[in-house]
Amino acid sequence: MPKITREEVRVPADVMPEARDEYITNYLKATRETGRLMLFACDQKIEHLNKDFYGEGIDIADLDPEHLFKIGSEGVCGVLAGQRGLVAQYAADYPEINYLIKMNSKTNLVGTKQEDPYSPQLYDLDAVLAMKEAGVNIVGLGYTIYLGSEYEATMMAEAGELIAQAHANGLIVVLWIYPRGKAVTAEKDPDLIAGAAGVALCLGADFVKVNPPKPEDGRTPAEALKVASTAAGRCGLVCAGGSTVDAETFLTQLYDQIHVGGADGNATGRNIHQRSLDEAVRLTKAISAITLADWAVADALAVFNGEKDFTLADI
């Protein structure tokens, strides 16, 4: 897969002229100069609490939060996404990682049957820009919207303002958009997933993270995803990785999402960090081989199995 040049980066019109070079640099960093995003999602310590990091089937290394940063450092990722405080505690020891700051989060303790979901903004952009000014390698922001929640208007307004401010300062933005709430009867309905992609585009996001659709009309999930990736227009669509599955299944799904579904990368958390350090590092390399270099599933699986290696030099 050929790399893209600075001249080939499509810069949104809300990026101020003085921030244009910074935006291009951050976009190329995040996508490893390919235009595709390999996002290592590390925001689950709030989102899912400790059950994603300790328990049956989870390597004991995952209990230590530094495990995330060791993976990000030794593996091959585009960005590591986490909350500001998490990044602030470890970034000085891992300055080489590209960071994407997750601007809002909520726990999973309050279920949808009790109340529609709302993920509050945890800090303003100035706090993030101060960290960047202090030398943290921050390339972008992330924000979650629960489409269909009675609080969606608040989240959309917060996201829209953040995107405008982020672009004005040369940062990229990834929106997590999940249809969820009492008004939503099927969270992975293909039409809703495509709708979420269109919302992200209209809010001005550079990438949108969605759940893979579950069609009921005979199409494969990847075929249904093609509708969403087309609806996203110039906003790159990436799929959430979901709960941990075997590597071959995961890599095959990823390949189909990109080559059948038109996805522009992936956003994976548990499938990576719930493994031992060595295995997690190999999986980031296998994922990146497919996402960033268009390797076949068999070759990527060989990377995961330790029979081949993949580095940034292979892009």
Side-chain angles (χ1 to χ4, degrees), residues 164-281:
Q165 293 177 356
H167 279 179
N169 285 276
L171 297 172
I172 70 164
V173 181
V174 180
L175 289 183
W176 282 234
I177 301 190
Y178 305 131
R180 192 166 297 168
K182 296 184 182 70
V184 179
T185 58
E187 294 181 1
K188 297 184 180 181
D189 175 77
D191 288 337
L192 276 180
I193 299 298
V199 169
L201 172 69
C202 291
L203 289 173
D206 301 288
F207 291 92
V208 59
K209 176 188 176 187
V210 298
N211 279 317
K214 287 189 174 180
E216 297 181 354
D217 55 5
R219 291 179 295 170
T220 67
E223 288 170 342
L225 186 66
K226 182 63 177 177
V227 177
S229 65
T230 303
R234 291 182 175 179
C235 174
L237 181 143
V238 301
C239 280
S243 56
T244 301
V245 297
D246 69 274
E248 184 172 8
T249 297
F250 180 82
L251 293 171
T252 300
Q253 290 173 346
L254 172 60
Y255 185 91
D256 289 345
Q257 286 167 0
I258 292 173
H259 292 280
V260 178
D264 287 304
N266 71 286
T268 310
R270 287 169 286 178
N271 261 288
I272 294 173
H273 66 68
Q274 290 184 343
R275 305 171 189 267
S276 69
L277 178 60
D278 176 65
E279 190 172 309
V281 166

Side-chain angles (χ1 to χ4, degrees), residues 70-309:
K70 291 178 180 178
I71 296 168
S73 176
E74 298 180 29
V76 179
C77 304
V79 296
L80 185 155
Q83 292 84 2
R84 186 192 69 86
L86 175 68
V87 173
Q89 292 288 353
Y90 294 91
D93 292 330
Y94 299 91
E96 70 282 1
I97 295 174
N98 298 324
Y99 293 106
L100 187 133
I101 303 299
K102 189 72 188 305
M103 298 297 287
N104 66 331
S105 285
K106 73 170 194 64
T107 75
N108 57 2
L109 291 176
V110 178
T112 303
K113 292 181 179 179
Q114 182 178 349
E115 185 179 20
D116 271 6
Y118 170 58
S119 187
Q121 187 171 329
L122 302 175
Y123 20 75
D124 61 26
L125 181 60
D126 287 342
V128 176
L129 293 177
M131 280 177 60
K132 184 172 174 61
E133 184 68 23
V136 181
N137 184 27
I138 297 170
V139 301
L141 308 179
Y143 187 97
T144 295
I145 296 173
Y146 294 107
L147 208 61
S149 166
E150 62 181 299
Y151 305 107
E152 75 165 25
T154 300
M155 289 178 278
M156 287 174 66
E158 287 183 354
E161 182 62 24
L162 273 175
I163 291 167
Q165 293 177 356
H167 279 179
N169 285 276
L171 297 172
I172 70 164
V173 181
V174 180
L175 289 183
W176 282 234
I177 301 190
Y178 305 131
R180 192 166 297 168
K182 296 184 182 70
V184 179
T185 58
E187 294 181 1
K188 297 184 180 181
D189 175 77
D191 288 337
L192 276 180
I193 299 298
V199 169
L201 172 69
C202 291
L203 289 173
D206 301 288
F207 291 92
V208 59
K209 176 188 176 187
V210 298
N211 279 317
K214 287 189 174 180
E216 297 181 354
D217 55 5
R219 291 179 295 170
T220 67
E223 288 170 342
L225 186 66
K226 182 63 177 177
V227 177
S229 65
T230 303
R234 291 182 175 179
C235 174
L237 181 143
V238 301
C239 280
S243 56
T244 301
V245 297
D246 69 274
E248 184 172 8
T249 297
F250 180 82
L251 293 171
T252 300
Q253 290 173 346
L254 172 60
Y255 185 91
D256 289 345
Q257 286 167 0
I258 292 173
H259 292 280
V260 178
D264 287 304
N266 71 286
T268 310
R270 287 169 286 178
N271 261 288
I272 294 173
H273 66 68
Q274 290 184 343
R275 305 171 189 267
S276 69
L277 178 60
D278 176 65
E279 190 172 309
V281 166
R282 284 187 277 114
L283 186 55
T284 68
K285 292 181 175 183
I287 291 170
S288 290
I290 290 175
T291 302
L292 305 177
D294 270 345
W295 283 24
V297 173
D299 292 322
L301 191 59
V303 171
F304 174 74
N305 290 331
E307 299 159 1
K308 291 185 176 183
D309 194 17

